Amino acid sequence: MTASVMAPVLVPALGGAGTAQAETIKIPKGFLLSEPRATRSLSPVEAFEEWWEISDKLSRPLELDPCGSKKKPRDGRVAMRTVVQGTSGPSYFSEQLVLYRNVEAAKAALDRLRVDVKRCAKGKPPVQALVGVRHRYVGTSIRVGDEALLVKGYSYDKGWREPVGGGRYVVARRGSALILFTADDYYQVDETVKTLVGETKKMAKKVCGLPGVCEPEPITLPDQTA
């Protein structure tokens, strides 16, 4: 892939005379690992069995959101893409890339997630969790990118001690970017975590092809959520 394809598009936002021009950064189309699958043509049978969503909305919550915050995010993100897959299995998978205005903002976002995983460990189950269950999050640090967090969600039927299902979440920071891969444990059963970690490692390398993300002094961009 050439640098011109991988480079994000910088679109000048016009201001009044004498004011500095702000720039908006966009993630190149097709940059996420799952986009080729998400955009391929499906037969009627396949379309009945699986469905995809691609969103560039900055206001979208992070795919790992233990406390279920309903506030508009104001965390310094400047670009974001989310790819979600659902199947009739049912199973759930998502890939999310969030670019922040600088390394500090990305670090702060991951730090908040660490705190929320502990603070809301026994909080409300995620949307894709089974109905009528208790839920718990457990997070551990792993070695991916500059820093990373592996979170496992466990759902329990009331009155049962053994989990009946749950989500798996890998969140890594590479420079000024956050990379999130999530799935439920029905996605690839015993291989789910291994697959998510492997995909996160691939994106942690690929994202450094975007200007400013992994440089020693990444470019600071205007906060598009302010």
Side-chain angles (χ1 to χ4, degrees):
M1 184 175 291
T2 63
S4 60
V5 174
M6 293 182 67
V9 179
L10 293 175
V11 182
L14 300 180
T19 62
Q21 288 188 340
E23 287 181 326
T24 303
I25 191 169
K26 292 186 178 180
I27 298 168
K29 184 177 180 181
F31 189 79
L32 270 63
L33 302 181
S34 56
E35 282 189 71
R37 288 186 289 148
T39 56
R40 78 187 192 283
S41 296
L42 299 176
S43 68
V45 174
E46 289 174 323
F48 183 77
E49 295 293 335
E50 63 177 294
W51 45 94
W52 293 85
E53 175 192 3
I54 301 177
S55 172
D56 285 344
K57 290 181 63 175
L58 281 173
S59 59
R60 190 180 183 111
L62 296 179
E63 283 295 291
L64 174 59
D65 186 18
C67 299
S69 175
K70 295 182 179 180
K71 295 181 180 180
K72 182 179 179 180
R74 298 182 182 276
D75 56 0
R77 61 185 69 171
V78 296
M80 180 173 178
R81 180 164 300 152
T82 306
V83 178
V84 174
Q85 178 197 31
T87 75
S88 60
S91 66
Y92 179 90
F93 164 85
S94 74
E95 177 184 4
Q96 193 171 54
L97 176 62
V98 191
L99 306 183
Y100 288 85
R101 66 177 182 268
N102 53 33
V103 170
E104 288 70 26
K107 284 182 177 179
L110 184 53
D111 287 343
R112 280 191 295 271
L113 279 180
R114 286 195 181 96
V115 171
D116 285 351
V117 167
K118 293 181 180 180
R119 182 166 63 91
C120 299
K122 297 182 180 180
K124 184 179 178 181
V127 174
Q128 65 268 25
L130 299 173
V131 177
V133 299
R134 295 178 293 110
H135 190 269
R136 182 176 180 83
Y137 288 107
V138 177
T140 55
S141 294
I142 59 174
R143 298 182 65 179
V144 180
D146 294 322
E147 53 181 331
L149 183 66
L150 168 64
V151 177
K152 295 182 179 181
Y154 297 95
S155 297
Y156 302 84
D157 273 329
K158 293 180 179 178
W160 291 83
R161 292 187 176 183
E162 294 298 320
V164 294
R168 302 293 180 258
Y169 312 81
V170 179
V171 186
R173 182 187 64 80
R174 187 69 174 98
S176 57
L178 277 193
I179 303 157
L180 297 92
F181 279 90
T182 80
D184 56 33
D185 59 0
Y186 299 106
Y187 179 63
Q188 292 187 4
V189 193
D190 294 337
E191 294 293 310
T192 297
V193 170
K194 182 179 178 180
T195 298
L196 297 182
V197 171
E199 294 294 272
T200 306
K201 288 181 178 179
K202 291 178 185 177
M203 182 52 73
K205 293 180 180 179
K206 185 177 182 181
V207 77
C208 286
L210 299 179
V213 172
C214 299
E215 295 175 5
E217 296 183 3
I219 301 169
T220 297
L221 293 168
D223 183 352
Q224 301 300 317
T225 61

